[in-house]
Amino acid sequence: MADVKVPVLGESITEATVGEWLKNPGDPVKVDEPIASLETDKVSVEVPSTVAGVMGEQLVKVGDTVEVGAVIATIAEGGAAASPAAPPAASAAPAPTAPAAVASYGSSSPAQGQAPGSDGAAALSPSVRRAVLETGVDPSNLQGTGRDGRLTKEDVMTAAQNKPAAAPAAAAPAAAAPATGGRKEERVKMTRLRQTVAKRLKEAQNTAAMLTTFNDVDMTAVIEARAKYKDLFEKKHGVRLGFMGFFVKAACMALKDIPGVNGSIEGDEIVYHDYCDISVAVSAPNGLVVPVIRDAETLSVAGIEKTIGDFGKRAKDGTLKMDEMRGGTFTISNGGVFGSLMSTPIINPPQSAVLGLHRIEERPVVRDGQVVVRPMMYLALSYDHRLVDGREAVTFLVALKNAIEDPTRLLIDL
């Protein structure tokens, strides 16, 4: 038997939470094949097998906290003939947990129809199972986009949106059941990532003197530039031309003019940075993560878009590294992709400011004495009033607005 231990997770990280088991007792395992997923404060880390053989006993449960170096499972090397016979008895207890969880909520989801030992049921993470319950989507008919073809929550939600219109009628008899079954509740333990996010955001509220100022920006020029050059851009650089490249470049220019927005407070000292490490909020299966674009002021729009695209892909796969989410001098969060019209984003400590982008919406505005319709976006800058004055915050937003409304400024650094 070979022991599987929790690997080194990164500097100053001594423990993690078991997120899910990727292999059940009795499953064949290859060398370096992931058998479990661990959740740290910021990312998910997969635990690979060091030997080839058959999965043995799982020594910890999903949700348990484990320390670096702790033994979490055993593997029978070489896949002895006796090994396959033992797993059915060993796996009989843990394997039904996924179907049991489904049954406890009275769902008629097809997930219940899977065999207790099937890989399909075992590979569904808690968030995916919850999405399956809520949407009624059959996971066996979906093609996963996560690592090794595993389903993600986004896969389930996309399938739910694309369900035929006739589906609700078929589900009508089941919809009547809750009337007799009463109200139900679900209790799910907070992931380590969500606990860390909650702790840091509350810390920001308790520590910083936060204030938010707003402005709006006419997106006409950027939209026209994007429409004109997007095909050539993608052909040359191999990445799509989005709006974030423009905003990151514009933010870097504005940060040079207003260095306080790019600074931070450490004790009784103010730290000013002559570089722009821009944190960008990226959606991941377990929540938002904030990887950092290092030295963004030195990158082209193409370089920025490539970096963001790579972050998005690896966030979905769960392969972002801890070091890629450390540091950052300024944050940009784009709630517009989810339909947000306006918000007051919370600072990411120890940074002094965060920029919130929102959805583009056609609105009537006055231009040269005439009322015209323009694609407008609200901008929100939340900042630490201990370091950034209102005048500086407004000046920053105006500089950003001017650069977006006249992208030529990005070329001549004006």
Side-chain angles (χ1 to χ4, degrees), residues 42-43 200 244 248 252 255 262 273 275-282 289-297 299 303-304 306-312 314-315 320-332 348-351:
K42 294 184 178 181
V43 294
R200 287 178 60 81
M244 281 296 288
V248 171
C252 290
L255 290 173
N262 197 41
H273 309 284
Y275 53 87
C276 298
D277 284 353
I278 307 297
S279 304
V280 289
V282 176
V289 293
V290 192
V292 180
I293 306 175
R294 308 288 179 188
D295 299 314
E297 77 282 3
L299 299 178
I304 293 170
K306 287 180 179 179
T307 303
I308 294 175
D310 178 59
F311 283 157
R314 291 194 291 122
L320 281 174
K321 299 177 181 178
M322 294 292 295
D323 290 341
E324 293 174 315
M325 288 180 284
R326 287 197 178 98
T329 60
F330 182 76
T331 294
I332 299 178
N348 181 22
Q351 298 173 17

Side-chain angles (χ1 to χ4, degrees), residues 11-12 14 23 28 81 120 198 209 236 259 271 276 310 399:
E11 183 181 355
S12 75
T14 60
K23 291 290 184 178
K236 179 176 181 178
V271 180
C276 298
D310 178 59

Side-chain angles (χ1 to χ4, degrees), residues 226 230 233-234 237-243 301-302 305-306:
R226 181 172 180 266
K230 64 178 182 180
F233 185 90
E234 185 170 2
H237 301 290
V239 65
R240 295 178 60 187
L241 176 60
F243 296 125
V301 171
E305 292 290 358
K306 287 180 179 179

Side-chain angles (χ1 to χ4, degrees), residues 157-180:
M157 301 309 293
T158 299
Q161 293 175 359
N162 297 331
K163 286 176 68 175
T180 58

